Amino acid sequence: MRDAIKKLLKEKNAIMLAHNYQPPEIQDLADMCGDSLELSIRAADTDAEVIVFCGVHFMAETASIISPDKTVLLPRHDAGCLMADMINAESLEAKKARMAPMPVVTYVNSTAEVKALSTICCTSANVVKVVNSLPEKEMLLAPDRNLAMYAASKTNKTIHVWDGYCPTHEWLTAADAAKAKADHPDAVFMAHPECRPDVLVLADVVESTSGMLRYASQSPHKAFIVGTETGLLHPMQKQNPDKTFYPASKKMVCRNMKRIGMSDVALCLENLSGQVKVPEDIRIPALAAVTRMLDLSR
Ligand code: 13P
Ligand code: SF4
């Protein structure tokens, strides 16, 4: 299957991108693995005609927003994001109508139609930079309430919160985190900003998935507790065979991130099926919000 996929990638002039939470065999085959920000930048910069996006729907949609002339394939149409489903254009319009005029910072974990109503996008890797880049003192950050509260704690801005969250990260309680720390007293506790605030106060390091990977590689420490989706343990262990990684909780599994298998990748490449395309009337305003973020991050 690996050889068949490699051959198809070549034949179709395709690149395979995989998020850090994908199953190990998918990460091992991909041309590039990364966090949401790195994958968007790569999708924007590639010369390939076809992008096979091994992640969830909003990630493939973001690639299509940036590169409308490329064929963007999501190998499983049912790989969604529960957080992205907690907001839509209608509910955001209604919230905006109830608030004083202010910028809307939208986490990339959202649909294209929500991005289209936003001032600028952000990811977990650049949220503080994005918030600080805006001249306004007050803004709405949607849909992740935990990311919004984290950004508020790191800036002197007034941030209005949308009541969305990632169930995978919400499962990690402060009690789980405290127990992991007690069980492994020498380990550095790294957490993703999608975790609850009472978990983040216990963390030694708060980073995006790739930020945690970099930290673990560069740190002189030998043991780490990983407070994010457990898929990240695969690249961490692979890149650092001499270090030990413990999941903060084994419950932190995103089922949507685990849907794609090798046969799905082969099938979508063979038939160019699972194409994700955003209508132009939504793509153009969504692109403005994504480009504003990418210009800050490149
Ligand atoms: P990052 O890889 O950008 O940190 O995102 C985490 C996530 O939940 C993606 O769905
Ligand atoms: Fe969405 Fe959470 Fe899964 Fe990421 S881990 S795709 S935010 S549900």
Side-chain angles (χ1 to χ4, degrees):
M1 190 67 90
R2 278 182 66 91
D3 291 344
I5 293 173
K6 279 190 176 158
K7 192 163 165 260
L8 279 164
L9 286 166
K10 223 176 188 161
E11 270 170 29
K12 309 276 179 178
N13 187 15
I15 185 171
M16 179 172 165
L17 304 181
H19 187 265
N20 291 324
Y21 296 158
Q22 285 289 293
E25 64 279 15
I26 298 290
Q27 292 197 40
D28 290 348
L29 192 56
D31 294 293
M32 184 202 158
C33 298
D35 66 9
S36 313
L37 180 62
E38 292 167 337
L39 294 173
S40 319
I41 293 173
R42 185 63 192 270
D45 292 347
T46 181
D47 289 333
E49 288 169 73
V50 177
I51 300 172
V52 185
F53 218 118
C54 297
V56 290
H57 191 266
F58 75 81
M59 296 180 172
E61 218 179 33
T62 305
S64 172
I65 289 168
I66 299 168
S67 307
D69 300 332
K70 296 193 191 303
T71 302
V72 179
L73 308 177
L74 179 67
R76 283 285 295 255
H77 71 90
D78 53 351
C81 167
L82 295 174
M83 184 202 292
D85 293 341
M86 292 180 189
I87 186 169
N88 60 27
E90 213 182 358
S91 54
L92 179 54
E93 289 275 33
K95 175 103 175 169
K96 282 170 82 172
R98 290 196 303 273
M99 298 176 82
M102 67 180 73
V104 178
V105 179
T106 297
Y107 194 25
V108 285
N109 299 31
S110 57
T111 60
E113 58 169 28
V114 169
K115 290 184 176 78
L117 294 173
S118 311
T119 313
I120 186 166
C121 287
C122 73
T123 74
S124 60
N126 62 17
V127 61
V128 172
K129 197 173 186 180
V130 166
V131 164
N132 281 331
S133 76
L134 295 172
E136 292 86 349
K137 279 251 164 270
E138 201 172 341
M139 62 200 70
L140 170 68
L141 202 159
D144 187 2
R145 64 183 181 211
N146 292 339
L147 187 75
M149 287 187 274
Y150 170 72
S153 75
K154 293 284 164 195
T155 63
N156 57 7
K157 307 274 184 168
T158 303
I159 299 185
H160 296 264
V161 168
W162 187 276
D163 202 17
Y165 60 91
C166 163
T168 306
H169 288 84
E170 196 75 4
W171 275 322
L172 179 66
T173 62
D176 293 331
K179 180 171 182 323
K181 286 177 65 152
D183 289 347
H184 311 292
D186 296 331
V188 176
F189 175 35
M190 302 188 291
H192 194 277
E194 286 177 18
C195 291
R196 300 161 185 243
D198 58 353
V199 168
L200 294 183
V201 294
L202 299 175
D204 301 303
V205 177
V206 178
E207 282 285 356
S208 75
T209 54
S210 289
M212 287 189 224
L213 273 172
R214 272 188 296 276
Y215 186 90
S217 296
Q218 288 161 9
S219 165
H221 290 275
K222 290 285 176 207
F224 301 84
I225 299 162
V226 184
T228 193
E229 212 277 344
T230 54
L232 188 64
L233 274 91
H234 172 67
M236 274 189 168
Q237 200 62 78
K238 203 171 154 185
Q239 289 172 26
N240 303 282
D242 59 326
K243 297 184 180 180
T244 310
F245 299 95
Y246 306 100
S249 162
K250 287 188 180 149
K251 289 180 288 183
M252 297 181 80
V253 177
C254 173
R255 278 203 277 151
N256 282 306
M257 278 285 184
K258 306 298 185 219
R259 291 200 197 280
I260 297 173
M262 300 282 272
S263 55
D264 301 310
V265 177
L267 208 70
C268 85
L269 268 169
E270 218 164 274
N271 306 324
L272 293 185
S273 54
Q275 293 196 24
V276 175
K277 195 126 187 81
V278 179
E280 281 299 283
D281 58 327
I282 293 173
R283 191 187 73 81
I284 301 294
L287 179 65
V290 173
T291 305
R292 205 166 164 187
M293 170 189 82
L294 291 178
D295 286 348
L296 274 179
S297 308
R298 274 213 175 90

